[in-house]
Amino acid sequence: MAVTLPAIGTNNLQPRSISHRSFLSFTPISTVHSRSLTLSPRLRFSSSPTRLRLNSSGPSGPSGPTGGDGGSGGNGDEGGDGGDSNERNREEAMLVLAEVGRGLETLPADLAAAIKSGRIPGEIVKRFLELEKSPFGWLLQFGGFKERLLADDLFLTKVAIECGVGIFTKTAAELEKRRENFSKELDFVLADVIMALVADFMLVWLPAPTVSLKPPLAFSAGPITKFFYSCPDNAFQVALPGTSYSFLQRVGAILRNGSKLFAVGSGASLIGTGITNALIYTRKAFDKDFAVGAEDVPVLPTSAAYGVYMAVSSNLRYQILAGIIEQRMLEPILHNQKLALSAVCFAVRTGNTFLGSLMWVDYARWVGVQRSRE
């Protein structure tokens, strides 16, 4: 019986060891037990209930290009054949390196290990090589920046947007919400703006989608540690080919980032309210009229309240913004129009920052850490 092998993937990979035949002959199954089929060590066959697949592997790298997603597109939550995806990722990545004459030894150790294990597709390797040549390529030597830049080449643009417009939008929101009481409540305004600026960077940093380059966790680690270690940095981020996140892992990402943002928010509030109280004491010493109307900002209650606000409201808003609005909605549409994508991100993030400032004023008054002065 003759079986004709179909073309593999999208690039019509042909086995090298079968150069002048387009089919393989198989012995009837009743006689297979008495002898074996010998093939080139570069080839191995694996079967499934529906098809026969030819995979290329070997210590010297891939024998040719293969198909695949080639990028961070595609959810991967459905699972699929993880072994095939990992091997395809490895082949794509090695092919990209071969095209530019680079070897794994020229890459950072964590990136090289991820390529060897098949966790990084060729598109991510291309992005790394492009970022190396950019003015900000030096940031790739820092682990946290590397994972975020590989997942989003506009990450630094978004940091600049968030911090640049933060002070203006937050001040405008304070003016909109306090209106005629704005000048009377300048101490509250100052505390809010300082807290916001300290936290702005972390609000972009923590919920940002990443390309995971983390090494496997030690076998002796506890189950809770292992669970949160396996969670994505953004609950809604697109999974790379060969990677999948369960619903619980995505919920875990929200909880883990929430705890971090609580610490960030509380710390930022301590700094902001501390500076505000110092300014109030200074002004009281020189302005007796101000001493009558001014009061100290409650440091600990405000810090706790801001921490909770960051862990809940800011955490959810920024995870949705980065993982759904930007990565899943805007980037697929404007992938090849970086200027337009940056402009839309600017508008969306400016609106989100303004909304957050309005929500904080209402929340602070609701929990009693700030009161309206009539």
Side-chain angles (χ1 to χ4, degrees), residues 93-94 97 100 102-116 120 125 128-129 132 146:
M94 295 302 297
L97 292 175
V100 297
R102 297 278 295 270
L104 289 176
E105 67 278 0
T106 66
L107 302 178
D110 53 356
L111 181 60
I115 292 175
K116 287 181 179 179
I120 303 298
V125 179
F128 175 82
L129 298 176
E132 271 190 325
K146 180 166 54 186

Side-chain angles (χ1 to χ4, degrees), residues 55-352:
N55 296 328
S56 170
S57 65
S60 60
S63 60
T66 64
D69 294 7
S72 60
N75 196 325
D77 287 348
E78 292 79 5
D81 195 333
D84 283 353
S85 296
N86 289 343
E87 187 163 344
R88 182 168 61 249
N89 287 345
R90 181 165 52 250
E91 291 173 354
E92 290 178 359
M94 295 302 297
L95 181 61
V96 170
L97 292 175
E99 288 175 349
V100 297
R102 297 278 295 270
L104 289 176
E105 67 278 0
T106 66
L107 302 178
D110 53 356
L111 181 60
I115 292 175
K116 287 181 179 179
S117 62
R119 292 184 286 123
I120 303 298
E123 185 66 22
I124 299 300
V125 179
K126 288 181 182 178
R127 182 173 295 172
F128 175 82
L129 298 176
E130 292 170 356
L131 288 169
E132 271 190 325
K133 302 174 184 178
S134 72
F136 300 100
W138 58 275
L139 289 173
L140 293 174
Q141 62 184 307
F142 302 105
F145 277 102
K146 180 166 54 186
E147 281 90 341
R148 286 162 176 80
L149 287 170
L150 289 178
D152 182 5
D153 52 359
L154 290 180
F155 172 72
L156 293 179
T157 301
K158 294 171 183 178
V159 171
I161 290 172
E162 198 71 35
C163 296
V165 304
I167 187 171
F168 299 106
T169 56
K170 293 179 188 303
T171 302
E174 295 282 345
L175 181 60
E176 170 68 20
K177 205 68 180 178
R178 303 180 191 277
R179 295 186 180 275
E180 65 276 2
N181 293 325
F182 184 83
S183 59
K184 297 179 182 179
E185 301 175 358
L186 277 177
D187 47 347
F188 289 150
V189 174
L190 181 61
D192 289 349
V193 172
I194 292 176
M195 286 188 294
L197 289 178
V198 171
D200 272 343
F201 177 80
M202 297 305 297
L203 281 173
V204 184
W205 179 272
L206 289 177
T210 61
V211 171
S212 178
L213 301 176
K214 297 181 293 186
L217 198 60
F219 182 77
S220 58
I224 296 179
T225 301
K226 289 181 179 179
F227 170 72
F228 283 109
Y229 191 79
S230 68
C231 294
D233 285 288
N234 185 287
F236 307 103
Q237 75 176 65
V238 175
L240 293 174
T243 303
S244 63
Y245 300 113
S246 67
F247 175 76
L248 287 179
Q249 285 175 314
R250 293 186 179 276
V251 172
I254 296 176
L255 297 177
R256 184 184 60 190
N257 274 359
S259 64
K260 292 179 180 179
L261 286 174
F262 176 82
V264 171
S266 299
S269 180
L270 284 173
I271 296 173
T273 53
I275 293 176
T276 299
N277 284 342
L279 293 175
I280 289 176
Y281 286 129
T282 302
R283 188 169 177 181
K284 281 180 179 180
F286 296 98
D287 187 349
K288 301 301 181 182
D289 293 333
F290 179 79
V292 175
E295 62 182 50
D296 294 345
V297 178
V299 177
L300 293 181
T302 300
S303 299
Y306 196 62
V308 172
Y309 172 79
M310 290 270 287
V312 179
S313 175
S314 299
N315 183 25
L316 291 175
R317 283 188 294 108
Y318 278 86
Q319 293 226 28
I320 292 173
L321 173 62
I324 296 180
I325 297 177
E326 291 179 341
Q327 190 178 54
R328 292 182 180 269
M329 297 173 61
L330 297 179
E331 289 185 9
I333 298 174
L334 302 172
H335 179 71
N336 295 321
Q337 304 175 46
K338 296 299 184 182
L339 185 59
L341 179 58
S342 299
V344 176
C345 289
F346 175 86
V348 173
R349 285 185 172 270
T350 299
N352 177 65

